[in-house]
Amino acid sequence: MPIHRRWHYPIVALAGAAGGFSFAPLHLGWLAFVCFVPLILIIEARGFRSMPTRLLYTFFFCFHGAANWWVMSWQKETDPYLMAAGAGLWLGHPFFLMPAFWVYSAMRRRQGVLPSLVALCLSWTAVEWLHSLTDLSYPWLALGYTQVYNGALAQIADIGGVWFVSLFILSINAILAHYALERGSVWKHFAWAVGIIFVVSFYGVWKQSEYSTNERTQTRRFDVGLVQPSIDPWDKWQGSVDAEIALHMRLQDSLNAVRHCALNVWSETAIPYALTLPQNAGLLHRLRQWVDSSHTSLLTGYADYVLYPKGTAPFNAQPYPRDPMLMMRIFNSAGILNPGASDIPTHHKSRLTPFGEYMPFSDDVPAIQSWLKWGVGISGWSRGEGANALPLVVDGDTAALIGPVICIESIYPNYVSDYIRQGANLLAVITNDAWYDGTFGPEQHYCIARLRAIETRTPVIRCGNSGISGYINAAGESVYQAPARTCRSIAVSVPWRGAQASEQSLYVRFGDWLPKLCTLFLMALIVWMRMRRPLTPASSAQS
């Protein structure tokens, strides 16, 4: 029985919200396998004379809102700019999610249901990936993240990244929609859906068992300490930096008293000013003495200034206020202090939060960056040069390479995999999610790190100012997760991951091969479609 047109928008809105609620922390990942079916059916019911843009916007507005409402922060201290940026994302992001269904609608004018659904699956995978490439990228809502709690279904990410999990989910939606539209054999469609789920589940259970066994039996391990100070992010930039650093040191010392760690980790911008500038030499000396006396390395987030003589500075450098003959660039950074070492190997954050830390395209037009000013000290960072693995030195020798991943960098799969290609033995995500305490945000961000562990088959340690701090094994399982919004230090025992190329996952070896292949197939399909004559109303009804 056809659904009356007045119900189309409410049904699409409800389906979009269901898709959004399939993301963490609600454990409703199964909704992702059915949420697109009502949208496809209603697009079919409304015909294809024009693009269903308003219908799609309704769906994805509710999809984004249910999953990402928290981006506006919703805390009493929230800066108005942050609220406005979150609202702008909510209003604009649906347009970046709609293109796959535009392709589907255009395809249906010339083709039947089956090739159009194939095009939908290919284009969704391609669009998710393309959405991760530009200055306006925001791949937070890649559909594959909905299956983190269904651990076995997420294991195929080590083959084709989170994009492969998304393709799997869209394929099940397409099979269900095809049955609803074609009314063919229920057993044929059931067999296809169950067969795909069985193969993916079988692979997932096998991989989970393999890496969980390795986790238990690996004897080569090292202890890592994580400091979670739970400092109010709004007070952090106005309070006493010395007192905040002293709190970190006290928490770390209390842990060192009972368990010596080879590596201690502090969160993003735990030290909110540059250690290497001359005026901060006293703090740097104190930290070096502390690291040397404790015989443990310290990986910490801090602000790093790079100074240039005025005539040699990059075009996007800013004037240095203490010397008119110098220019500077400021980076959100992670550095490691090793016992007995005089240098600070540093990684500069290279994937910045659009409109939060960085104005898109301001590297090309530096004046744009001046538009970004909000009420705390984290706006206006420069962009780094890419992933840079840092050495962990034990007893004078490099014992491991650490891949520091700063906050939103963790949502870029191929970027994180660059650390493993450099030989990293461990990934360390440092972040400050306290802006979003009490919302879905911190748990979603933690789950994204779990997909990075699966893709790279590398252990992940995660340290957040107020959480979520913890340890994730190479199967994507959260081995230990500290309670959020608590002040504490914890120690985790991490197995050694070899750096040989033979131990790399398929995704690390070949990168984003799957979405690139989907993009090529989609382009060929579109060219072929353009050569076909549109379907007549009669043939469209029969297709």
Side-chain angles (χ1 to χ4, degrees):
M1 179 178 174
I3 301 172
H4 195 280
R5 287 180 69 93
R6 72 166 175 259
W7 293 106
H8 287 181
Y9 280 91
I11 290 172
V12 162
L14 186 62
F21 287 134
S22 64
F23 289 86
L26 297 181
H27 293 260
L28 296 174
W30 62 270
L31 288 172
F33 291 99
V34 298
C35 67
F36 293 101
V37 176
L39 176 61
I40 295 169
L41 298 184
I42 289 177
I43 289 175
E44 289 284 336
R46 297 176 74 89
F48 309 102
R49 295 192 176 209
S50 60
M51 286 293 182
T53 301
R54 286 187 296 177
L55 198 72
L56 294 175
Y57 188 86
T58 301
F59 180 93
F60 287 111
F61 180 84
C62 296
F63 180 89
H64 174 98
N68 265 186
W69 57 270
W70 52 268
V71 175
M72 296 173 69
S73 183
W74 302 102
Q75 300 185 42
K76 63 180 180 180
E77 304 93 343
T78 299
D79 185 279
Y81 177 88
L82 184 57
M83 292 287 288
L89 178 65
W90 193 340
L91 291 170
H93 194 220
F95 290 106
F96 290 86
L97 301 173
M98 291 159 54
F101 283 88
W102 286 336
V103 171
Y104 175 80
S105 296
M107 190 79 175
R108 279 293 284 123
R109 294 175 193 165
R110 292 171 168 81
Q111 292 299 318
V113 172
L114 183 58
S116 300
L117 289 171
V118 171
L120 174 63
C121 294
L122 296 177
S123 55
W124 180 272
T125 309
V127 166
E128 272 197 352
W129 169 66
L130 291 169
H131 189 28
S132 73
L133 300 182
T134 72
D135 272 9
L136 292 175
S137 62
Y138 184 70
W140 192 287
L141 295 183
L143 203 60
Y145 294 127
T146 63
Q147 301 310 304
V148 170
Y149 296 138
N150 302 321
L153 300 182
Q155 299 300 312
I156 58 173
D158 73 346
I159 300 174
V162 66
W163 326 117
F164 199 2
V165 188
S166 296
L167 178 60
F168 161 59
I169 294 168
L170 256 293
S171 298
I172 300 302
N173 276 274
I175 291 170
L176 296 176
H178 187 264
Y179 168 72
L181 292 169
E182 295 291 282
R183 296 296 180 184
S185 168
V186 65
W187 292 111
K188 180 178 72 175
H189 291 85
F190 179 79
W192 270 106
V194 171
I196 293 172
I197 293 172
F198 174 79
V199 170
V200 170
S201 299
F202 180 83
Y203 178 84
V205 171
W206 167 44
K207 285 296 184 178
Q208 277 186 312
S209 176
E210 176 184 351
Y211 285 97
S212 296
T213 301
N214 289 344
E215 166 77 19
R216 293 191 302 269
T217 59
Q218 177 64 266
T219 57
R220 194 178 183 189
R221 314 174 76 91
F222 55 94
D223 290 343
V224 179
L226 307 175
V227 172
Q228 181 178 293
S230 199
I231 297 170
D232 188 305
W234 310 102
D235 295 337
K236 176 176 180 174
W237 301 89
Q238 285 81 34
S240 169
V241 174
D242 289 340
E244 293 167 3
I245 294 173
L247 172 60
H248 282 80
M249 296 173 73
R250 286 198 305 272
L251 289 169
Q252 196 67 67
D253 285 339
S254 66
L255 182 63
N256 289 343
V258 296
R259 185 172 178 179
H260 180 265
C261 296
L263 174 67
N264 292 323
V265 181
W266 295 0
S267 63
E268 179 186 19
T269 60
I271 303 172
Y273 50 59
L275 288 174
T276 53
L277 288 181
Q279 58 266 35
N280 298 325
L283 171 62
L284 179 56
H285 179 69
R286 182 155 55 100
L287 282 174
R288 286 196 188 282
Q289 285 187 319
W290 181 68
V291 166
D292 291 345
S293 63
S294 64
H295 304 288
T296 183
S297 298
L298 171 64
L299 174 68
T300 181
Y302 73 103
D304 189 28
Y305 288 60
V306 177
L307 300 179
Y308 306 87
K310 198 165 188 178
T312 63
F315 73 93
N316 56 355
Q318 308 170 38
Y320 180 54
R322 291 175 176 262
D323 189 337
M325 299 307 296
L326 295 177
M327 302 290 284
M328 69 175 182
R329 296 178 72 202
I330 312 170
F331 298 92
N332 187 346
S333 305
I336 189 165
L337 284 78
N338 289 303
S342 58
D343 62 335
I344 307 178
T346 300
H347 162 70
H348 293 151
K349 187 175 182 182
S350 303
R351 294 298 184 100
L352 302 173
T353 306
F355 304 104
E357 299 176 303
Y358 169 84
M359 285 298 290
F361 312 110
S362 62
D363 278 349
D364 302 312
V365 186
I368 296 177
Q369 188 61 36
S370 63
W371 302 351
L372 176 58
K373 299 293 179 186
W374 58 294
V376 292
I378 67 168
S379 60
W381 297 114
S382 294
R383 182 161 54 184
E385 302 79 20
N388 183 31
L390 308 179
L392 169 64
V393 176
V394 178
D395 297 328
D397 296 321
T398 299
L401 287 177
I402 311 299
V405 182
I406 305 175
C407 192
I408 203 171
E409 287 184 325
S410 66
I411 72 173
Y412 297 96
N414 200 43
Y415 175 86
V416 174
S417 296
D418 282 342
Y419 284 114
I420 313 306
R421 300 181 190 111
Q422 293 177 20
N425 309 98
L426 174 68
L427 294 171
V429 178
I430 60 172
T431 187
N432 182 11
D433 291 338
W435 315 101
Y436 307 108
D437 278 347
T439 72
F440 290 179
E443 178 68 16
Q444 285 182 9
H445 202 184
Y446 188 80
C447 287
I448 286 172
R450 293 175 64 175
L451 253 294
R452 300 293 86 84
I454 295 171
E455 289 166 345
T456 61
R457 293 304 181 189
T458 302
V460 175
I461 53 173
R462 191 177 191 276
C463 183
N465 168 27
S466 63
I468 298 170
S469 302
Y471 162 51
I472 302 163
N473 68 15
E477 298 165 338
S478 183
V479 178
Y480 183 83
Q481 184 172 327
R485 290 182 284 173
T486 58
C487 179
R488 62 178 60 209
S489 56
I490 63 173
V492 294
S493 179
V494 181
W496 180 274
R497 179 204 176 277
Q500 294 79 12
S502 60
E503 299 183 32
Q504 294 177 354
S505 68
L506 287 173
Y507 180 70
V508 170
R509 291 186 199 178
F510 301 109
D512 292 328
W513 66 270
L514 177 66
K516 291 176 182 178
L517 194 61
C518 287
T519 303
L520 290 175
F521 278 138
L522 179 63
M523 292 171 64
L525 200 59
I526 291 174
V527 170
W528 177 71
M529 177 189 70
R530 295 295 296 176
M531 297 172 64
R532 302 275 295 183
R533 298 180 64 181
L535 293 175
T536 64
S539 60
S540 178
Q542 295 170 3
S543 64

